[in-house]
Amino acid sequence: MHRSRPARTLLMTLAALTALTTTACGNTQDPNDDEPAPATSPRDRPTTSRSAPQPPSSSPADGTDAGACTDGNCEIAVTEPVTIRFPAPGDAGRATLSVTKVGPNEIEYEVKSGNNRSNGGASGPGQGCLTYLRDRGSGNSCGTLDPARPSPRPGAVVIQATTGTDGTALLHIVSP
């Protein structure tokens, strides 16, 4: 009887490991879907894994001029809270991006457009958030990001905020 107990334990352990491996390898997202699903809370936000993070560009295309973003296309560095207004997608008028917190490896912001609101926040080296703002809603994806300019999306304004180790965050706003 002592021999069957270890064999039974081994079989149960192998069955549990097989179940865990199968679950861990599952992918419910369409591999062709580049846009994140809207997240309902910070713990539900998916992380984005890309190439090794790099520090923000030392000379963003538009420097620190938040006024360069009023047309909906810019790359700026921010070191303190700032509010930026730019064209919203569709017929929603103007959208507002309010950076509420910036620090070493940290950024928090809120985006408003019509009745839509979206919050983003990241902390840690190479961390950031992407917000896809559409005329009928928005979605966030936060995690490790490459600070390179995001690609434009039809019908969406893309906002990317990437943390910097020196307390400077890099913001991209990309309109279609």
Side-chain angles (χ1 to χ4, degrees):
M1 291 246 157
H2 288 287
R3 295 175 99 175
S4 67
R5 179 173 275 168
R8 187 176 334 146
T9 303
L10 177 61
L11 286 175
M12 289 178 16
T13 302
L14 287 174
L17 287 174
T18 301
L20 286 173
T21 303
T22 304
T23 302
C25 293
N27 182 3
T28 58
Q29 185 175 5
D30 181 355
N32 295 324
D33 187 8
D34 291 335
E35 296 182 13
T40 57
S41 73
R43 64 185 165 96
D44 293 331
R45 293 180 187 146
T47 58
T48 305
S49 179
R50 297 189 184 178
S51 60
Q54 300 171 6
S57 170
S58 59
S59 57
D62 298 307
T64 59
D65 180 15
C69 298
T70 60
D71 66 352
N73 285 291
C74 66
E75 175 187 64
I76 64 169
V78 295
T79 57
E80 60 187 26
V82 64
T83 298
I84 300 167
R85 290 176 180 76
F86 55 91
D91 296 326
R94 308 268 313 153
T96 303
L97 166 64
S98 297
V99 175
T100 56
K101 188 174 186 181
V102 181
N105 296 316
E106 181 175 39
I107 186 162
E108 292 181 10
Y109 64 92
E110 178 182 50
V111 181
K112 296 178 188 175
S113 176
N115 292 328
N116 298 318
R117 290 178 188 246
S118 185
N119 294 312
S123 61
Q127 300 295 300
C129 294
L130 283 167
T131 298
Y132 295 88
L133 182 61
R134 296 178 181 86
D135 62 348
R136 297 182 191 247
S138 61
N140 283 343
S141 177
C142 297
T144 303
L145 293 179
D146 181 343
R149 182 180 177 89
S151 300
R153 301 281 182 195
V157 175
V158 181
I159 300 165
Q160 178 176 306
T162 310
T163 64
T165 58
D166 64 353
T168 300
L170 184 62
L171 287 179
H172 288 97
I173 299 176
V174 180
S175 294

PDB file of all heavy atoms in Angstrom, residues 121-161:
ATOM      1  N   GLY A 121      -2.308  55.584 -15.482  1.00  0.00           N
ATOM      2  CA  GLY A 121      -1.236  55.820 -14.535  1.00  0.00           C
ATOM      3  C   GLY A 121      -0.249  54.676 -14.571  1.00  0.00           C
ATOM      4  O   GLY A 121      -0.632  53.529 -14.760  1.00  0.00           O
ATOM      5  N   ALA A 122       1.019  55.024 -14.450  1.00  0.00           N
ATOM      6  CA  ALA A 122       2.063  54.005 -14.457  1.00  0.00           C
ATOM      7  C   ALA A 122       3.180  54.436 -13.528  1.00  0.00           C
ATOM      8  O   ALA A 122       3.428  55.634 -13.349  1.00  0.00           O
ATOM      9  CB  ALA A 122       2.598  53.818 -15.869  1.00  0.00           C
ATOM     10  N   SER A 123       3.844  53.454 -12.945  1.00  0.00           N
ATOM     11  CA  SER A 123       5.016  53.753 -12.135  1.00  0.00           C
ATOM     12  C   SER A 123       6.028  52.636 -12.341  1.00  0.00           C
ATOM     13  O   SER A 123       5.659  51.475 -12.481  1.00  0.00           O
ATOM     14  CB  SER A 123       4.649  53.884 -10.658  1.00  0.00           C
ATOM     15  OG  SER A 123       4.097  52.688 -10.171  1.00  0.00           O
ATOM     16  N   GLY A 124       7.274  53.041 -12.409  1.00  0.00           N
ATOM     17  CA  GLY A 124       8.362  52.098 -12.620  1.00  0.00           C
ATOM     18  C   GLY A 124       9.131  52.444 -13.875  1.00  0.00           C
ATOM     19  O   GLY A 124       8.614  53.104 -14.774  1.00  0.00           O
ATOM     20  N   PRO A 125      10.381  52.015 -13.951  1.00  0.00           N
ATOM     21  CA  PRO A 125      11.206  52.301 -15.122  1.00  0.00           C
ATOM     22  C   PRO A 125      10.619  51.701 -16.399  1.00  0.00           C
ATOM     23  O   PRO A 125      10.210  50.544 -16.410  1.00  0.00           O
ATOM     24  CB  PRO A 125      12.549  51.637 -14.797  1.00  0.00           C
ATOM     25  CG  PRO A 125      12.536  51.361 -13.340  1.00  0.00           C
ATOM     26  CD  PRO A 125      11.097  51.249 -12.936  1.00  0.00           C
ATOM     27  N   GLY A 126      10.528  52.521 -17.442  1.00  0.00           N
ATOM     28  CA  GLY A 126      10.037  52.049 -18.733  1.00  0.00           C
ATOM     29  C   GLY A 126       8.561  51.741 -18.778  1.00  0.00           C
ATOM     30  O   GLY A 126       8.074  51.135 -19.721  1.00  0.00           O
ATOM     31  N   GLN A 127       7.798  52.177 -17.775  1.00  0.00           N
ATOM     32  CA  GLN A 127       6.364  51.913 -17.730  1.00  0.00           C
ATOM     33  C   GLN A 127       5.607  53.060 -18.387  1.00  0.00           C
ATOM     34  O   GLN A 127       6.091  54.181 -18.479  1.00  0.00           O
ATOM     35  CB  GLN A 127       5.889  51.751 -16.281  1.00  0.00           C
ATOM     36  CG  GLN A 127       6.564  50.610 -15.546  1.00  0.00           C
ATOM     37  CD  GLN A 127       6.207  49.272 -16.149  1.00  0.00           C
ATOM     38  OE1 GLN A 127       5.050  48.879 -16.202  1.00  0.00           O
ATOM     39  NE2 GLN A 127       7.221  48.563 -16.622  1.00  0.00           N
ATOM     40  N   GLY A 128       4.409  52.784 -18.819  1.00  0.00           N
ATOM     41  CA  GLY A 128       3.589  53.810 -19.433  1.00  0.00           C
ATOM     42  C   GLY A 128       2.205  53.295 -19.729  1.00  0.00           C
ATOM     43  O   GLY A 128       1.862  52.159 -19.402  1.00  0.00           O
ATOM     44  N   CYS A 129       1.408  54.148 -20.358  1.00  0.00           N
ATOM     45  CA  CYS A 129       0.033  53.802 -20.724  1.00  0.00           C
ATOM     46  C   CYS A 129      -0.266  54.274 -22.130  1.00  0.00           C
ATOM     47  O   CYS A 129       0.233  55.312 -22.578  1.00  0.00           O
ATOM     48  CB  CYS A 129      -0.970  54.467 -19.785  1.00  0.00           C
ATOM     49  SG  CYS A 129      -0.906  53.894 -18.089  1.00  0.00           S
ATOM     50  N   LEU A 130      -1.099  53.509 -22.806  1.00  0.00           N
ATOM     51  CA  LEU A 130      -1.677  53.898 -24.087  1.00  0.00           C
ATOM     52  C   LEU A 130      -3.169  54.084 -23.862  1.00  0.00           C
ATOM     53  O   LEU A 130      -3.817  53.230 -23.250  1.00  0.00           O
ATOM     54  CB  LEU A 130      -1.488  52.804 -25.136  1.00  0.00           C
ATOM     55  CG  LEU A 130      -0.123  52.674 -25.770  1.00  0.00           C
ATOM     56  CD1 LEU A 130      -0.019  51.365 -26.535  1.00  0.00           C
ATOM     57  CD2 LEU A 130       0.139  53.845 -26.685  1.00  0.00           C
ATOM     58  N   THR A 131      -3.705  55.187 -24.348  1.00  0.00           N
ATOM     59  CA  THR A 131      -5.136  55.415 -24.298  1.00  0.00           C
ATOM     60  C   THR A 131      -5.621  55.593 -25.729  1.00  0.00           C
ATOM     61  O   THR A 131      -5.042  56.375 -26.489  1.00  0.00           O
ATOM     62  CB  THR A 131      -5.481  56.677 -23.476  1.00  0.00           C
ATOM     63  OG1 THR A 131      -5.032  56.476 -22.136  1.00  0.00           O
ATOM     64  CG2 THR A 131      -6.980  56.946 -23.465  1.00  0.00           C
ATOM     65  N   TYR A 132      -6.642  54.843 -26.099  1.00  0.00           N
ATOM     66  CA  TYR A 132      -7.275  54.967 -27.398  1.00  0.00           C
ATOM     67  C   TYR A 132      -8.594  55.690 -27.171  1.00  0.00           C
ATOM     68  O   TYR A 132      -9.496  55.156 -26.538  1.00  0.00           O
ATOM     69  CB  TYR A 132      -7.519  53.594 -28.022  1.00  0.00           C
ATOM     70  CG  TYR A 132      -6.231  52.871 -28.338  1.00  0.00           C
ATOM     71  CD1 TYR A 132      -5.605  52.064 -27.400  1.00  0.00           C
ATOM     72  CD2 TYR A 132      -5.631  53.022 -29.583  1.00  0.00           C
ATOM     73  CE1 TYR A 132      -4.415  51.418 -27.685  1.00  0.00           C
ATOM     74  CE2 TYR A 132      -4.437  52.378 -29.875  1.00  0.00           C
ATOM     75  CZ  TYR A 132      -3.844  51.578 -28.925  1.00  0.00           C
ATOM     76  OH  TYR A 132      -2.656  50.939 -29.208  1.00  0.00           O
ATOM     77  N   LEU A 133      -8.692  56.907 -27.670  1.00  0.00           N
ATOM     78  CA  LEU A 133      -9.878  57.742 -27.487  1.00  0.00           C
ATOM     79  C   LEU A 133     -10.683  57.722 -28.786  1.00  0.00           C
ATOM     80  O   LEU A 133     -10.163  58.090 -29.842  1.00  0.00           O
ATOM     81  CB  LEU A 133      -9.438  59.165 -27.133  1.00  0.00           C
ATOM     82  CG  LEU A 133     -10.499  60.199 -26.844  1.00  0.00           C
ATOM     83  CD1 LEU A 133     -11.347  59.788 -25.641  1.00  0.00           C
ATOM     84  CD2 LEU A 133      -9.854  61.547 -26.598  1.00  0.00           C
ATOM     85  N   ARG A 134     -11.927  57.263 -28.674  1.00  0.00           N
ATOM     86  CA  ARG A 134     -12.815  57.197 -29.842  1.00  0.00           C
ATOM     87  C   ARG A 134     -14.059  58.035 -29.558  1.00  0.00           C
ATOM     88  O   ARG A 134     -14.318  58.382 -28.416  1.00  0.00           O
ATOM     89  CB  ARG A 134     -13.199  55.748 -30.117  1.00  0.00           C
ATOM     90  CG  ARG A 134     -11.999  54.897 -30.498  1.00  0.00           C
ATOM     91  CD  ARG A 134     -12.435  53.441 -30.718  1.00  0.00           C
ATOM     92  NE  ARG A 134     -11.304  52.620 -31.059  1.00  0.00           N
ATOM     93  CZ  ARG A 134     -10.503  52.035 -30.169  1.00  0.00           C
ATOM     94  NH1 ARG A 134     -10.717  52.187 -28.886  1.00  0.00           N
ATOM     95  NH2 ARG A 134      -9.494  51.313 -30.565  1.00  0.00           N
ATOM     96  N   ASP A 135     -14.845  58.311 -30.590  1.00  0.00           N
ATOM     97  CA  ASP A 135     -16.043  59.125 -30.363  1.00  0.00           C
ATOM     98  C   ASP A 135     -17.078  58.406 -29.514  1.00  0.00           C
ATOM     99  O   ASP A 135     -17.926  59.028 -28.908  1.00  0.00           O
ATOM    100  CB  ASP A 135     -16.645  59.612 -31.681  1.00  0.00           C
ATOM    101  CG  ASP A 135     -17.122  58.501 -32.593  1.00  0.00           C
ATOM    102  OD1 ASP A 135     -16.792  57.324 -32.342  1.00  0.00           O
ATOM    103  OD2 ASP A 135     -17.821  58.808 -33.579  1.00  0.00           O
ATOM    104  N   ARG A 136     -17.012  57.091 -29.386  1.00  0.00           N
ATOM    105  CA  ARG A 136     -17.988  56.346 -28.580  1.00  0.00           C
ATOM    106  C   ARG A 136     -17.346  55.599 -27.415  1.00  0.00           C
ATOM    107  O   ARG A 136     -17.879  54.615 -26.939  1.00  0.00           O
ATOM    108  CB  ARG A 136     -18.748  55.368 -29.456  1.00  0.00           C
ATOM    109  CG  ARG A 136     -19.550  56.060 -30.510  1.00  0.00           C
ATOM    110  CD  ARG A 136     -20.318  55.051 -31.328  1.00  0.00           C
ATOM    111  NE  ARG A 136     -20.884  55.695 -32.481  1.00  0.00           N
ATOM    112  CZ  ARG A 136     -22.171  55.869 -32.670  1.00  0.00           C
ATOM    113  NH1 ARG A 136     -23.025  55.427 -31.793  1.00  0.00           N
ATOM    114  NH2 ARG A 136     -22.613  56.473 -33.746  1.00  0.00           N
ATOM    115  N   GLY A 137     -16.190  56.061 -26.955  1.00  0.00           N
ATOM    116  CA  GLY A 137     -15.570  55.403 -25.809  1.00  0.00           C
ATOM    117  C   GLY A 137     -14.055  55.454 -25.880  1.00  0.00           C
ATOM    118  O   GLY A 137     -13.476  56.019 -26.797  1.00  0.00           O
ATOM    119  N   SER A 138     -13.447  54.862 -24.885  1.00  0.00           N
ATOM    120  CA  SER A 138     -11.991  54.859 -24.824  1.00  0.00           C
ATOM    121  C   SER A 138     -11.525  53.590 -24.114  1.00  0.00           C
ATOM    122  O   SER A 138     -12.306  52.894 -23.493  1.00  0.00           O
ATOM    123  CB  SER A 138     -11.480  56.093 -24.080  1.00  0.00           C
ATOM    124  OG  SER A 138     -11.956  56.097 -22.746  1.00  0.00           O
ATOM    125  N   GLY A 139     -10.240  53.310 -24.221  1.00  0.00           N
ATOM    126  CA  GLY A 139      -9.661  52.159 -23.541  1.00  0.00           C
ATOM    127  C   GLY A 139      -8.204  52.425 -23.220  1.00  0.00           C
ATOM    128  O   GLY A 139      -7.542  53.211 -23.902  1.00  0.00           O
ATOM    129  N   ASN A 140      -7.716  51.819 -22.158  1.00  0.00           N
ATOM    130  CA  ASN A 140      -6.330  51.975 -21.707  1.00  0.00           C
ATOM    131  C   ASN A 140      -5.619  50.640 -21.698  1.00  0.00           C
ATOM    132  O   ASN A 140      -6.225  49.603 -21.471  1.00  0.00           O
ATOM    133  CB  ASN A 140      -6.268  52.501 -20.270  1.00  0.00           C
ATOM    134  CG  ASN A 140      -6.535  53.967 -20.177  1.00  0.00           C
ATOM    135  OD1 ASN A 140      -6.482  54.688 -21.143  1.00  0.00           O
ATOM    136  ND2 ASN A 140      -6.853  54.414 -18.977  1.00  0.00           N
ATOM    137  N   SER A 141      -4.324  50.725 -21.869  1.00  0.00           N
ATOM    138  CA  SER A 141      -3.444  49.577 -21.687  1.00  0.00           C
ATOM    139  C   SER A 141      -2.172  50.119 -21.055  1.00  0.00           C
ATOM    140  O   SER A 141      -1.531  51.004 -21.620  1.00  0.00           O
ATOM    141  CB  SER A 141      -3.141  48.927 -23.037  1.00  0.00           C
ATOM    142  OG  SER A 141      -2.232  47.868 -22.879  1.00  0.00           O
ATOM    143  N   CYS A 142      -1.824  49.625 -19.869  1.00  0.00           N
ATOM    144  CA  CYS A 142      -0.642  50.121 -19.160  1.00  0.00           C
ATOM    145  C   CYS A 142       0.329  48.982 -18.912  1.00  0.00           C
ATOM    146  O   CYS A 142      -0.073  47.844 -18.723  1.00  0.00           O
ATOM    147  CB  CYS A 142      -1.042  50.755 -17.828  1.00  0.00           C
ATOM    148  SG  CYS A 142      -2.099  52.199 -18.007  1.00  0.00           S
ATOM    149  N   GLY A 143       1.594  49.312 -18.917  1.00  0.00           N
ATOM    150  CA  GLY A 143       2.637  48.322 -18.662  1.00  0.00           C
ATOM    151  C   GLY A 143       3.952  48.815 -19.238  1.00  0.00           C
ATOM    152  O   GLY A 143       4.172  50.010 -19.399  1.00  0.00           O
ATOM    153  N   THR A 144       4.834  47.888 -19.585  1.00  0.00           N
ATOM    154  CA  THR A 144       6.130  48.237 -20.158  1.00  0.00           C
ATOM    155  C   THR A 144       5.923  48.717 -21.586  1.00  0.00           C
ATOM    156  O   THR A 144       5.296  48.030 -22.387  1.00  0.00           O
ATOM    157  CB  THR A 144       7.067  47.013 -20.149  1.00  0.00           C
ATOM    158  OG1 THR A 144       7.183  46.552 -18.806  1.00  0.00           O
ATOM    159  CG2 THR A 144       8.439  47.374 -20.683  1.00  0.00           C
ATOM    160  N   LEU A 145       6.422  49.905 -21.886  1.00  0.00           N
ATOM    161  CA  LEU A 145       6.252  50.481 -23.220  1.00  0.00           C
ATOM    162  C   LEU A 145       7.578  50.945 -23.785  1.00  0.00           C
ATOM    163  O   LEU A 145       8.447  51.416 -23.064  1.00  0.00           O
ATOM    164  CB  LEU A 145       5.326  51.708 -23.169  1.00  0.00           C
ATOM    165  CG  LEU A 145       3.867  51.505 -22.821  1.00  0.00           C
ATOM    166  CD1 LEU A 145       3.147  52.849 -22.807  1.00  0.00           C
ATOM    167  CD2 LEU A 145       3.194  50.585 -23.815  1.00  0.00           C
ATOM    168  N   ASP A 146       7.671  50.876 -25.085  1.00  0.00           N
ATOM    169  CA  ASP A 146       8.761  51.509 -25.821  1.00  0.00           C
ATOM    170  C   ASP A 146       8.323  52.964 -25.999  1.00  0.00           C
ATOM    171  O   ASP A 146       7.201  53.224 -26.408  1.00  0.00           O
ATOM    172  CB  ASP A 146       8.904  50.817 -27.170  1.00  0.00           C
ATOM    173  CG  ASP A 146      10.025  51.360 -28.013  1.00  0.00           C
ATOM    174  OD1 ASP A 146      10.515  52.481 -27.731  1.00  0.00           O
ATOM    175  OD2 ASP A 146      10.423  50.678 -28.973  1.00  0.00           O
ATOM    176  N   PRO A 147       9.169  53.940 -25.687  1.00  0.00           N
ATOM    177  CA  PRO A 147       8.737  55.336 -25.785  1.00  0.00           C
ATOM    178  C   PRO A 147       8.611  55.859 -27.214  1.00  0.00           C
ATOM    179  O   PRO A 147       8.306  57.027 -27.407  1.00  0.00           O
ATOM    180  CB  PRO A 147       9.824  56.095 -25.009  1.00  0.00           C
ATOM    181  CG  PRO A 147      11.027  55.231 -25.103  1.00  0.00           C
ATOM    182  CD  PRO A 147      10.517  53.816 -25.138  1.00  0.00           C
ATOM    183  N   ALA A 148       8.801  55.022 -28.226  1.00  0.00           N
ATOM    184  CA  ALA A 148       8.662  55.461 -29.619  1.00  0.00           C
ATOM    185  C   ALA A 148       7.229  55.907 -29.891  1.00  0.00           C
ATOM    186  O   ALA A 148       6.280  55.435 -29.271  1.00  0.00           O
ATOM    187  CB  ALA A 148       9.048  54.330 -30.562  1.00  0.00           C
ATOM    188  N   ARG A 149       7.080  56.802 -30.831  1.00  0.00           N
ATOM    189  CA  ARG A 149       5.768  57.334 -31.217  1.00  0.00           C
ATOM    190  C   ARG A 149       4.823  56.201 -31.634  1.00  0.00           C
ATOM    191  O   ARG A 149       5.186  55.358 -32.442  1.00  0.00           O
ATOM    192  CB  ARG A 149       5.951  58.312 -32.368  1.00  0.00           C
ATOM    193  CG  ARG A 149       4.680  58.964 -32.832  1.00  0.00           C
ATOM    194  CD  ARG A 149       4.996  59.929 -33.985  1.00  0.00           C
ATOM    195  NE  ARG A 149       3.797  60.518 -34.512  1.00  0.00           N
ATOM    196  CZ  ARG A 149       3.240  61.631 -34.064  1.00  0.00           C
ATOM    197  NH1 ARG A 149       3.805  62.271 -33.064  1.00  0.00           N
ATOM    198  NH2 ARG A 149       2.148  62.106 -34.596  1.00  0.00           N
ATOM    199  N   PRO A 150       3.600  56.177 -31.072  1.00  0.00           N
ATOM    200  CA  PRO A 150       2.636  55.144 -31.473  1.00  0.00           C
ATOM    201  C   PRO A 150       2.109  55.418 -32.885  1.00  0.00           C
ATOM    202  O   PRO A 150       2.176  56.543 -33.377  1.00  0.00           O
ATOM    203  CB  PRO A 150       1.527  55.272 -30.433  1.00  0.00           C
ATOM    204  CG  PRO A 150       1.624  56.662 -29.915  1.00  0.00           C
ATOM    205  CD  PRO A 150       3.073  57.059 -30.041  1.00  0.00           C
ATOM    206  N   SER A 151       1.575  54.396 -33.503  1.00  0.00           N
ATOM    207  CA  SER A 151       1.019  54.519 -34.851  1.00  0.00           C
ATOM    208  C   SER A 151      -0.372  55.134 -34.791  1.00  0.00           C
ATOM    209  O   SER A 151      -1.130  54.869 -33.862  1.00  0.00           O
ATOM    210  CB  SER A 151       0.913  53.145 -35.505  1.00  0.00           C
ATOM    211  OG  SER A 151       2.171  52.556 -35.602  1.00  0.00           O
ATOM    212  N   PRO A 152      -0.729  55.928 -35.797  1.00  0.00           N
ATOM    213  CA  PRO A 152      -2.092  56.467 -35.852  1.00  0.00           C
ATOM    214  C   PRO A 152      -3.100  55.335 -36.065  1.00  0.00           C
ATOM    215  O   PRO A 152      -2.783  54.313 -36.666  1.00  0.00           O
ATOM    216  CB  PRO A 152      -2.082  57.410 -37.060  1.00  0.00           C
ATOM    217  CG  PRO A 152      -0.724  57.358 -37.644  1.00  0.00           C
ATOM    218  CD  PRO A 152       0.092  56.379 -36.906  1.00  0.00           C
ATOM    219  N   ARG A 153      -4.306  55.521 -35.553  1.00  0.00           N
ATOM    220  CA  ARG A 153      -5.402  54.556 -35.699  1.00  0.00           C
ATOM    221  C   ARG A 153      -6.591  55.264 -36.334  1.00  0.00           C
ATOM    222  O   ARG A 153      -6.965  56.359 -35.876  1.00  0.00           O
ATOM    223  CB  ARG A 153      -5.845  54.001 -34.348  1.00  0.00           C
ATOM    224  CG  ARG A 153      -4.776  53.307 -33.589  1.00  0.00           C
ATOM    225  CD  ARG A 153      -4.586  51.931 -34.145  1.00  0.00           C
ATOM    226  NE  ARG A 153      -3.566  51.265 -33.344  1.00  0.00           N
ATOM    227  CZ  ARG A 153      -2.959  50.180 -33.720  1.00  0.00           C
ATOM    228  NH1 ARG A 153      -3.239  49.648 -34.865  1.00  0.00           N
ATOM    229  NH2 ARG A 153      -2.050  49.640 -32.963  1.00  0.00           N
ATOM    230  N   PRO A 154      -7.219  54.661 -37.329  1.00  0.00           N
ATOM    231  CA  PRO A 154      -8.403  55.284 -37.931  1.00  0.00           C
ATOM    232  C   PRO A 154      -9.491  55.504 -36.885  1.00  0.00           C
ATOM    233  O   PRO A 154      -9.790  54.605 -36.106  1.00  0.00           O
ATOM    234  CB  PRO A 154      -8.854  54.261 -38.983  1.00  0.00           C
ATOM    235  CG  PRO A 154      -7.677  53.382 -39.224  1.00  0.00           C
ATOM    236  CD  PRO A 154      -6.878  53.388 -37.952  1.00  0.00           C
ATOM    237  N   GLY A 155     -10.052  56.698 -36.851  1.00  0.00           N
ATOM    238  CA  GLY A 155     -11.149  57.007 -35.938  1.00  0.00           C
ATOM    239  C   GLY A 155     -10.778  57.121 -34.478  1.00  0.00           C
ATOM    240  O   GLY A 155     -11.651  57.160 -33.627  1.00  0.00           O
ATOM    241  N   ALA A 156      -9.478  57.160 -34.150  1.00  0.00           N
ATOM    242  CA  ALA A 156      -9.068  57.213 -32.741  1.00  0.00           C
ATOM    243  C   ALA A 156      -7.897  58.168 -32.561  1.00  0.00           C
ATOM    244  O   ALA A 156      -7.035  58.288 -33.423  1.00  0.00           O
ATOM    245  CB  ALA A 156      -8.667  55.835 -32.242  1.00  0.00           C
ATOM    246  N   VAL A 157      -7.901  58.851 -31.432  1.00  0.00           N
ATOM    247  CA  VAL A 157      -6.732  59.610 -31.011  1.00  0.00           C
ATOM    248  C   VAL A 157      -5.978  58.695 -30.047  1.00  0.00           C
ATOM    249  O   VAL A 157      -6.562  58.136 -29.130  1.00  0.00           O
ATOM    250  CB  VAL A 157      -7.127  60.930 -30.305  1.00  0.00           C
ATOM    251  CG1 VAL A 157      -5.894  61.637 -29.767  1.00  0.00           C
ATOM    252  CG2 VAL A 157      -7.897  61.836 -31.256  1.00  0.00           C
ATOM    253  N   VAL A 158      -4.689  58.520 -30.294  1.00  0.00           N
ATOM    254  CA  VAL A 158      -3.863  57.656 -29.453  1.00  0.00           C
ATOM    255  C   VAL A 158      -3.011  58.553 -28.555  1.00  0.00           C
ATOM    256  O   VAL A 158      -2.335  59.461 -29.040  1.00  0.00           O
ATOM    257  CB  VAL A 158      -2.942  56.743 -30.289  1.00  0.00           C
ATOM    258  CG1 VAL A 158      -2.115  55.843 -29.388  1.00  0.00           C
ATOM    259  CG2 VAL A 158      -3.760  55.927 -31.286  1.00  0.00           C
ATOM    260  N   ILE A 159      -3.068  58.296 -27.261  1.00  0.00           N
ATOM    261  CA  ILE A 159      -2.267  59.041 -26.289  1.00  0.00           C
ATOM    262  C   ILE A 159      -1.340  58.041 -25.619  1.00  0.00           C
ATOM    263  O   ILE A 159      -1.790  57.011 -25.123  1.00  0.00           O
ATOM    264  CB  ILE A 159      -3.159  59.724 -25.239  1.00  0.00           C
ATOM    265  CG1 ILE A 159      -4.114  60.697 -25.928  1.00  0.00           C
ATOM    266  CG2 ILE A 159      -2.313  60.420 -24.170  1.00  0.00           C
ATOM    267  CD1 ILE A 159      -5.260  61.146 -25.073  1.00  0.00           C
ATOM    268  N   GLN A 160      -0.054  58.344 -25.637  1.00  0.00           N
ATOM    269  CA  GLN A 160       0.918  57.490 -24.967  1.00  0.00           C
ATOM    270  C   GLN A 160       1.694  58.331 -23.969  1.00  0.00           C
ATOM    271  O   GLN A 160       2.196  59.392 -24.309  1.00  0.00           O
ATOM    272  CB  GLN A 160       1.884  56.873 -25.971  1.00  0.00           C
ATOM    273  CG  GLN A 160       2.951  56.019 -25.304  1.00  0.00           C
ATOM    274  CD  GLN A 160       3.839  55.330 -26.315  1.00  0.00           C
ATOM    275  OE1 GLN A 160       3.349  54.634 -27.199  1.00  0.00           O
ATOM    276  NE2 GLN A 160       5.139  55.532 -26.197  1.00  0.00           N
ATOM    277  N   ALA A 161       1.768  57.857 -22.744  1.00  0.00           N
ATOM    278  CA  ALA A 161       2.528  58.516 -21.679  1.00  0.00           C
ATOM    279  C   ALA A 161       3.538  57.513 -21.144  1.00  0.00           C
ATOM    280  O   ALA A 161       3.152  56.424 -20.715  1.00  0.00           O
ATOM    281  CB  ALA A 161       1.592  58.981 -20.573  1.00  0.00           C
TER     282      ALA A 161
END
